[in-house]
Amino acid sequence: MPKIVDHDKQRVLVAEAAWRVIRRNGMEQASVRNIAEEAGISVGSMRHYFSTQSELLLYAMNLVSERVTSRIQRMTFNGPPMDDMKRLLLELMPNTDEKMAEMEVWYAFTAKSKTDSAFKKLADTVYNDIRRAVEIVITSLTKLNLFRPDLDQELEIERLYALVDGLAIHAVLRPDQVNGKLMDEALTLHLTSLCSK
């Protein structure tokens, strides 16, 4: 009896193998051959799941975004508003081993997006989504009459967006200095500074 292969599951496994190669050896080593070896399949078998290296890498990049989105969609927001908003923002940051792996791979893809238009389109979409999440936090503070009236809402969206992105980058580049505790404390301090006393 022929072996039945779940193609969607196999595509995810291959994409995760690509992540491991990228994390360990860099984007330049993410060849079809190296990824196939990491996934434990032949190069010929890889062609059943991805017709080109670019298709595989785009799928792997999109998988990062899908996983973050899925986690956020499963979240419930029924606690104190400030806690809920901080939890939402922390979901965008590498404060667990799983999210650190995703973020390291994401930044490798982001660097590739500077020279590859297919990757740029996806990167722009994701960064726009992150900015929208930050915008939701600021507009929620305003709707709840917590946002300081002396602050410029648009400017504070950009400032908070820069803080979230900056902390995430530093956590990836300097994990010995920027850890989950520091990210949590920095967000708490910043969110508190946006609110009326």
Side-chain angles (χ1 to χ4, degrees):
M1 181 177 237
K3 184 178 176 184
I4 297 172
V5 177
D6 182 333
H7 285 272
D8 290 336
K9 185 176 180 181
Q10 193 64 28
R11 284 167 65 89
V12 169
L13 293 175
V14 170
E16 289 173 342
W19 290 5
R20 291 191 298 275
V21 169
I22 292 165
R23 287 187 76 201
R24 189 175 56 241
N25 303 320
M27 183 65 79
E28 60 280 355
Q29 294 300 314
S31 66
V32 170
R33 183 175 306 285
N34 288 343
I35 294 168
E37 184 178 323
E38 180 70 26
I41 61 175
S42 69
V43 172
S45 294
M46 283 266 289
R47 302 289 180 209
H48 292 294
Y49 309 113
F50 302 99
S51 57
T52 65
Q53 180 192 30
S54 182
E55 180 188 347
L56 162 58
L57 293 177
L58 276 169
Y59 180 87
M61 182 181 188
N62 194 56
L63 187 61
V64 176
S65 172
E66 286 177 2
R67 288 196 174 168
V68 174
T69 300
S70 176
R71 283 195 301 266
I72 290 172
Q73 288 173 344
R74 290 192 311 267
M75 292 176 78
T76 56
F77 299 101
N78 49 17
M82 293 295 280
D83 291 349
D84 284 346
M85 286 181 244
K86 185 173 72 171
R87 279 191 320 109
L88 171 62
L89 295 173
L90 284 170
E91 199 54 54
L92 303 170
M93 304 173 85
N95 54 2
T96 66
D97 290 343
E98 177 186 10
K99 291 195 286 183
M100 179 62 80
E102 292 168 355
M103 193 68 70
E104 287 176 359
V105 171
W106 177 257
Y107 285 130
F109 284 123
T110 300
K112 185 169 178 59
S113 77
K114 299 298 288 177
T115 57
D116 188 316
S117 61
F119 288 87
K120 180 172 180 3
K121 183 178 177 185
L122 180 55
D124 287 347
T125 298
V126 171
Y127 280 113
N128 287 337
D129 289 344
I130 294 169
R131 190 185 184 284
R132 269 193 292 280
V134 170
E135 188 175 353
I136 287 168
V137 168
I138 298 297
T139 55
S140 295
L141 288 174
T142 303
K143 287 176 185 172
L144 294 166
N145 294 318
L146 296 173
F147 189 72
R148 283 175 39 195
D150 59 311
L151 297 178
D152 180 295
Q153 191 170 328
E154 282 302 311
L155 183 58
E156 294 306 327
I157 290 169
E158 291 304 325
R159 224 166 54 107
L160 181 54
Y161 180 33
L163 176 66
V164 168
D165 199 38
L167 286 170
I169 290 170
H170 286 276
V172 169
L173 297 178
R174 305 295 298 272
D176 54 321
Q177 292 181 356
V178 180
N179 56 32
K181 182 174 184 288
L182 187 135
M183 286 184 272
D184 188 293
E185 290 174 351
L187 279 179
T188 299
L189 183 63
H190 187 80
L191 289 171
T192 302
S193 76
L194 298 174
C195 294
S196 303
K197 301 295 184 201

